Amino acid sequence: MSLAFCGNENNSAAYNVEKGVLNNGCFVDALNVVPHVFLLFITFPILFIGWGSQSSKVHIHHSTWLHFPGHNLRWILTFILLFVLVCEIAEGIVSDGVSESRHLHLYMPAGMAFLAAITSVVYYHNIETSNFPKLLIALLFYWTLAFITKTIKFVKFCDNGVGFSQLRFCLTGLLVILYGMLLAVEINVIRVRRYVFFKTPKEVKPPEDLQDLGVRFLQPFVNLLSKGTYWWMNTFIKTAHKKPIDLKAIGKLPIAMRALTNYLRLNEAFEAQKNKRSPYPQGSKSIWCALCWAFGRPLVLSSTFRILADLLGFAGPLCISGIVHHVGKGNNTIRPQFLANAYVLAVLLFFALLLQRTILQASYYVAIETGINLRGAIQTKIYNKIMQLSTSNMSMGEMTAGQICNLVAIDTNQLMWFFFLCPNLWAMPVQIIVGVLLLYYLLGISALIGAVVIIVLAPVQYFVATKLSQAQRSTLEYSNERLKKTNEMLRGIKLLKLYAWEHIFHSSVEETRQKEMTSLKAFALYTSISMQCEMFSLFTFVVHAHLTGNADFSPSVAFASLSLFHILVTPLFLLSSVLLDETSLHLRCFEGTLLVSSPFTMYFCLPAPAQPLKVVNRKRPAREDWNNYSSHMRRPVNITEGDDFCVKITNGFFTWTPEGSATLSNIDIRIPQGQLTMIVGQVGCGKSSLLLATLGEMQKTSGNVFWNRKRGSVAYASQKPWLLNATVEENIIFESSFNKQRYKAVIDACSLQPDIDILPHGDQTQIGERGINLSGGQRQRISVARALYQQTNVVFLDDPFSALDIHLSDHLMQEGILKMLREDKRTIILVTHKLQYLPHADWIITMKDGTIQREGTLKDIQKSESELFEHWKTLMNRQDQELEKETIIERKPVLERKNLRRTRYSREALLKDDEEDEEEITESDDDDNLSSVLHQRAKMPWRACGKYLSSAGILLLPLLVLSQLLKHTVMVAIDYWLAKWTSDVISAKSDEFNHSRYSRVFSILCCLGIILCLVTSIAVEWTGLKVAKKLHYCLLNKIILAPMRFFETTPLGSILNRFSADCNTIDQHIPATLECLSRSTLLCVSALAVISYVTPMFLIALLPLAIICYFIQKYFRVASRDLQQLDDSTQLPLLCHFSETVEGLTTIRAFRYESRFRQKLLEYTDSNNIASLFLTAANRWLEVRMEYIGACVVLIAAVTSITKSLYNQLSSGLVGLGLTYALMVSNYLNWMVRNLADMEIQLGAVKRINGLLKTEAENYEGLLSPSQIPQNWPARGEIQIQNLSVRYDSNLKPVLKHVSAHISPGQKIGICGRTGSGKSSFSLAFFRMVDTFEGRIIIDGIDIAKLPLQTLRSRLSIILQDPILFSGTIRFNLDPEKKCTDSMLWEALEIAQLKHVVKALPGGLDAIVTEGGENFSQGQRQLFCLARAFVRKTSIFIMDEATASIDMATENILQKVVMTAFADRTVVTIAHRVHTILNADLVIVMKRGVILEYDKPEVLLEQEDSVFASFVQADK
């Protein structure tokens, strides 16, 4: 058939121009081509020549990007224009099919317009990105011409009586409106930018974010098409495949998304709430109002998108109905009615799907972005609140670091996800109502029965959701409890092993785990039930067939209804759970934390004194804003004149809790300016409290605190050293400027140089969390070094000598406190138990039971309190004048200190070296290596998957696979039977059709489907739980029996992570992901199989789609995994920063460093948020592409099945079946890839736990059987050490070398030596905690190497240097095995000088001990540990520097008690203070792992040159 523009019939009126040229339709159409040709000719040269050369530059350097006025409107109008033009082309083709010849003028102008519209938008985009508006003049001419020519055509239609009944008329009218609007947009750009017709064009700079090349997150700045399809992510995801993504690759956050911006917005909202309501707004209501006020607008946008997308979703069922209806008529000709044409409907369905998926993803993105912004704001808000918490909130257990971390890690994320689900609340009811109405339109009364079934199931769903929520809550509670127990167990693991208490704590953790598993099982069961509701709707068909008899039961009705049911299932399933989430969150949204009392602010809702809120000044760095934005309101401090004092307290009463009794009472003190003040007193008399009261950390009930001049920054070293998770240098400098000379002087004063030399990276070594990789003394000295380094006028030191030996203490006193601080005329307040330093003090404050006993100089006290002075003198064991002579005798080479430290550090060094080796391997420039690493990144961790599934056991695995396959076979069978049934109804032309046989089979299949759904769901969940239970049990067993060396070389945080995050992943996430993955994969496979069965032609088109799909998922998985890891790894420093802040609150506030720490928080929050945003964008990137592939599948399936059925080769029922399944593919493709990526990340947890399961356990078995060991061994307590050599690990040097000694029963032995001489290793050797590779220890005739470990350790007692208490009762802490009577416990407490303390507590022995024993002072904790050892009435008793934190008076009493109470027991004392072992029967002096001297103390003292004598001399 020949082609001609106006057709080529002989009698054609197309060429007739008698009535005037404009009345000729063909001429008008030709005229319409002119503007489009004009645009194509003008723009193509500019596009190719102008931008071809610099397109790459434009792409990379985005600093010129701009949006002209009306940017989004232009893109939307262009998309609508393109869609209308496609309709015009289709209408032309359909109309042309009626006549014999081909009339090009019916569709060619529309085709040219389509090309021109695409060109216009590409041209516009290029002009916009290069900010060159003058070239827009071409578009101005084009829109004008197009508008005029279309208007002529429209007017001629009106003249010729063509009206609304004709589609052509409507399309032309729409085009006139669209071209007119685009022309208006163009004129508006001229009006605003003045680039033409005006003398002075308006200069506009691109956004500030884009000028900063560090910003790589471009979603807010790209054009609408790139926004909708996430096109800008392509380069990012491609790069990710070449090299791993790190923080540098993702850059900075745009200003509008930064935590500070959002925090200020939220604060503004709170202020507005405060001004609106009564002075004290009510908790959660005002919080919700403020959140909505600050972040409500984007949520409304997201909800609008969501509702639009849901309404577009109904195009699917309606188009299927139309297509199947058309095909069912069986006519081969293409029908002239436009919307009744099957091909037209197929194309419409394709466009509807594209649009619906794009809008849906936009809705998700906006909601999540809002959630992330909200999370950043809330975290900053919580941090500000923490900065103002009173210390009592922490110490009284009202608010633990764990709770705060939970709040930041879990609750803020939940709030973020709630915001993500929020749009569902509005969209779902709309979706349900429209869906039910359409069902009624299709099925009539039977639809209402389906709706009734759904409505009846809704309460059931709600009930199930409630149960799910309860199960989740109880799981969370048990999980928290289990983690708390595990945490305590790991922190006190050394004590547990030494006391052989592993089994007690193991069974305690297992018991909680059992409860957790029970609630997890309930959770799994309810989850399975909630999944079943979707099947019940299918019974509607059975009812419909029987109710309406011969009513329309055609394939078109059946499959449209089936698609509608598929759509309705999701909202019904989600609505109940979303509502539940909403209500539960409503009740507990952070009220607890945000309204906790603080000494500085009364309400979270009133966070700052009324002051105008600063707008972020974008020219300055954000730090300034923090410094100026003081949201902390300190208690007013009186400032008075007079220079003789630094701080004065008059008539002060202080308490920790507002209701509690006064901890400090009648405080009247004066601290002199520029002098050294010492505070002394017994354990627990309130020395540390006095310092904190002075700093304003305690609640003042009455009295006044006066600071001379303004209270500035105070350098404060707390009793419990607080270290940052940073390098040694950063810890000492602590945000100050670096001064090399001063730094070296401080290092020397604190004797830190030898320790720094041993560290793997010197002072650049990272200190682990809470200084995990340092000894107690090192932690203490770094903390003191920080206070010495600061250039502040006031220095507070709280017991800085407690963990130091005598030499280190003296050096620190002389070089640090006296030389560096006092000579500088600084005001120093020193709390100490070391009374020998009192003569140095300019002013002394003596405390007793929370009051001031006396204050004055040493001479004043000598005169007025001679008794007290004498008491001190005897304790000091030295005369005043001897102080002048004090020099540290025998400054041996520093090598001596290195030995033990080397063993201690080697663990860190080994770890670090291994890590470095790995890094070097991956970072080496060898291309093969890099490619192999990248190859690893692209591979699935199949081995971990195998390990996971094999843990399920032989029975469950086949059940799992079989049930899944069976379920999907039945699902396909149900739909196939429906297709057969409806096709048979159509082909049986008779009036009477017997439905009973069909409905019976259909019902049986449905019931079978419901049962199988339940079975598979339960099978997956139970498999998951079985694996989880097994893995946790094995892990706990392995860890608790691991040798001590393992805990020294593995950071505690990483072990805890296995128990928390990884176990949680295995418990809750992997089973759900596995279920989802298997379901979506099998659904995709079955859908593609059904389509291929219906139209085998589809397989040809499937191949290219499958290849595209493969590459998309391959690239996505790599990027997704990197981003997920980045998201997790950036959350860690954020949580660490929170817990560090909580632990160091007093120090931070003393230094007045709040603003610096806030600034740090903002940096951490922003890097976490940018990772989350990129992850969200990557997920959307994948989903949009998968949805588009799904839409292509639908289009191809529709076109092939329509073509096949039109030639009578296919029943309409099968066409409906194929299309219904094609619609499902687009849904499940996404899930498949996303779950695959999730699974890959989650299997990492299995991999990590697997790694720990390879840990070698200690050898607990002994060579002797229980019957061979006497019941009361060791009865006498005789110890023989023969040629003993000991090391910490087989690849380390020995720490004890060929040591031999004999200790008779009942002897008291003292062991002394410099730090690192091997004293502690000596004590650990008795418990086989170290590797004995030579020699042996024989106790009461039995070689301890032959004993089972449990027996050996349970028969000896030891008190460690670091006091460890567990949360629980005092009774549990003293006797967890429950073997002792109350009288025995009271006796032990009396020996430990604690009876009066415990008696005063509510509950006595059952009084509560908080986490880590925080509600007792450091000295009291040490005394409890002593009592614990006294309870175990063993004949051998080892004290490892156990009196370090105790004042001298208490220590003297203890020494006497030990000598009397343990007269018949063998006691081995390892001492810092040599005078504590002067009464011992024998003294062992150690040096570098060998025994230097071994004799009675009096004998050694008589020897002039003995090392012991020099120690005693130095300790006087």
Side-chain angles (χ1 to χ4, degrees), residues 55 138 176 209 241 345 363 365 455 488 823 882 957 1001 1009 1045 1193 1273 1325 1471 1486-1487 1504:
S55 60
V176 171
D209 284 317
H241 207 262
L345 285 174
S363 158
Y365 172 79
I455 289 162
E488 283 204 322
E823 286 179 13
E882 279 182 24
L957 203 58
V1001 174
R1045 178 89 193 130
V1193 168
W1273 178 93
M1486 299 198 66
K1487 177 181 176 182
E1504 289 275 315

Side-chain angles (χ1 to χ4, degrees), residues 224 262 276:
L224 200 64
N262 288 303
K276 217 187 293 182

Side-chain angles (χ1 to χ4, degrees), residues 48 125 325 367 446 459 492 942 1006 1095 1136 1214 1355 1393 1402 1455:
F48 280 109
H125 169 68
H325 185 72
S446 335
W942 295 117
C1006 283
T1095 49
C1136 276
L1214 286 177
R1355 305 281 177 92
Q1393 314 296 307
Q1455 292 297 332

Side-chain angles (χ1 to χ4, degrees), residues 496-555:
L496 299 189
K497 285 185 170 295
L498 290 168
Y499 276 66
W501 284 347
E502 300 104 310
H503 61 285
I504 298 173
F505 279 78
H506 181 278
S507 54
S508 164
V509 172
E510 265 305 311
E511 186 189 332
T512 314
R513 176 67 174 169
Q514 214 44 55
K515 292 176 186 167
E516 191 186 358
M517 289 312 286
T518 311
S519 56
L520 275 171
K521 278 176 188 164
F523 185 76
L525 189 67
Y526 287 122
T527 308
S528 306
I529 293 170
S530 68
M531 309 281 281
Q532 302 324 309
C533 303
E534 54 189 88
M535 296 293 294
F536 291 105
S537 52
L538 295 176
F539 288 118
T540 310
F541 293 127
V542 180
V543 177
H544 179 65
H546 286 286
L547 259 187
T548 51
N550 299 333
D552 183 13
F553 193 57
S554 63

Side-chain angles (χ1 to χ4, degrees), residues 433-451:
I433 292 164
V434 175
V436 171
L437 286 174
L438 279 175
L439 268 177
Y440 181 70
Y441 162 70
L442 286 169
L443 293 178
I445 199 81
S446 335
L448 297 179
I449 292 161

Side-chain angles (χ1 to χ4, degrees), residues 1020-1083:
V1020 170
E1021 295 285 351
W1022 285 70
T1023 308
L1025 289 182
K1026 189 175 176 191
V1027 175
K1029 189 176 179 178
K1030 188 174 173 184
L1031 283 176
H1032 181 273
Y1033 183 77
C1034 296
L1035 181 66
L1036 187 62
N1037 256 357
K1038 274 286 184 201
I1039 295 292
I1040 207 161
L1041 301 180
M1044 203 56 220
R1045 178 89 193 130
F1046 168 77
F1047 297 98
E1048 287 166 352
T1049 52
T1050 315
L1052 179 72
S1054 89
I1055 304 175
L1056 257 181
N1057 255 346
R1058 299 300 81 82
F1059 281 103
S1060 56
D1062 291 350
C1063 276
N1064 182 39
T1065 301
I1066 291 171
D1067 289 352
Q1068 299 193 6
H1069 297 138
I1070 293 185
T1073 310
L1074 191 65
E1075 214 277 333
C1076 234
L1077 179 64
S1078 58
R1079 193 176 61 194
S1080 48
T1081 309
L1082 286 168
L1083 273 165

